[in-house]
Amino acid sequence: MNTLLKLPILCALRAAFVLGGSGLRRLSRVLLPLAIPFVAMADPSSLIDKVQDATKPFKELNVAIGQGWVPATPCVSGPEAGAMGVHFALMPQPGQPDRIHDGMLDAGEPEFLIYEPLPNGAMRLVGVEFVVIASEWASRHPQGGTPSLEGNLLNFVDAPNRYGLPAFYELHVWAWEHNPKGSFADWNTRVSCDKQAGD
């Protein structure tokens, strides 16, 4: 892009986001004649806020356990640094599919809660993971497309995989622990498995 065009466009982008929807509509009328693609950017704070609202009670592990959440994995360490933590899954109600197999995504209903092991067997809620089986998503969305939450695309994990699942989409949201690698990165360098019981 011509360097002379960059500054006005950046200023226009900033003004558009300040003005909201009307500003974005005006910006699109400016960029389209210039053949400059305009892609709406997702606001990560929207999804993080919704996850925090939905999972705040589960900061107390006993509350999560009392509502049917059970450990589904040991503490998962990163290949180089950081960890994913211990994943807790919600036991399905009789006659209902578990969340991972319902083919749906809801910002208020994560498939997994993620806890970091602490000394003396304590656990600290650090985030969540959203998961949907690819084939089940496709059957509910025959028009195709990658699933997203609040405008944030999920990552595709093919089969076979380390989890023994069919191909699936996933998204980590580090709602309760800042991640220097990004709010939606798989591995959080500020989460550790060093205190996992038995280690």
Side-chain angles (χ1 to χ4, degrees), residues 131-156:
V131 175
V132 63
I133 302 301
S135 60
E136 292 162 0
W137 177 264
S139 69
R140 285 181 172 268
H141 302 83
Q143 72 277 15
T146 301
S148 67
L149 272 171
E150 302 296 315
N152 301 283
L153 294 175
L154 276 69
N155 306 302
F156 179 71

Side-chain angles (χ1 to χ4, degrees), residues 150-174:
E150 302 296 315
N152 301 283
L153 294 175
L154 276 69
N155 306 302
F156 179 71
V157 179
D158 206 350
N161 52 67
R162 63 189 287 179
Y163 311 103
L165 291 172
F168 64 94
Y169 294 97
E170 61 83 20
L171 181 70
H172 287 82
V173 179
W174 300 102

Side-chain angles (χ1 to χ4, degrees), residues 68-139:
W69 292 87
V70 296
T73 71
C75 193
V76 183
S77 294
E80 297 176 3
M84 287 185 186
V86 180
H87 292 60
F88 278 65
L90 184 64
M91 292 293 289
Q93 297 297 317
Q96 298 292 322
D98 59 77
R99 284 187 183 176
I100 200 171
H101 287 287
D102 64 7
M104 297 185 291
L105 291 167
D106 184 327
E109 296 185 351
E111 278 64 38
F112 295 100
L113 302 175
I114 303 174
Y115 289 87
E116 178 184 31
L118 300 176
N120 303 320
M123 291 276 193
R124 180 174 72 100
L125 181 64
V126 291
V128 304
E129 185 176 12
F130 294 94
V131 175
V132 63
I133 302 301
S135 60
E136 292 162 0
W137 177 264
S139 69

Side-chain angles (χ1 to χ4, degrees), residues 15-29:
F17 281 102
V18 169
L19 292 171
S22 62
L24 292 174
R25 287 190 293 274
R26 287 198 293 271
L27 178 63
S28 66
R29 290 197 294 270

Side-chain angles (χ1 to χ4, degrees), residues 1-17 23 26-27 30-31 34 36:
M1 183 190 301
N2 188 322
T3 305
L4 294 176
L5 285 175
K6 289 182 179 179
L7 183 58
I9 289 170
L10 290 174
C11 291
L13 279 168
R14 182 175 180 181
F17 281 102
R26 287 198 293 271
L27 178 63
V30 172
L31 296 184
L34 296 175
I36 298 171

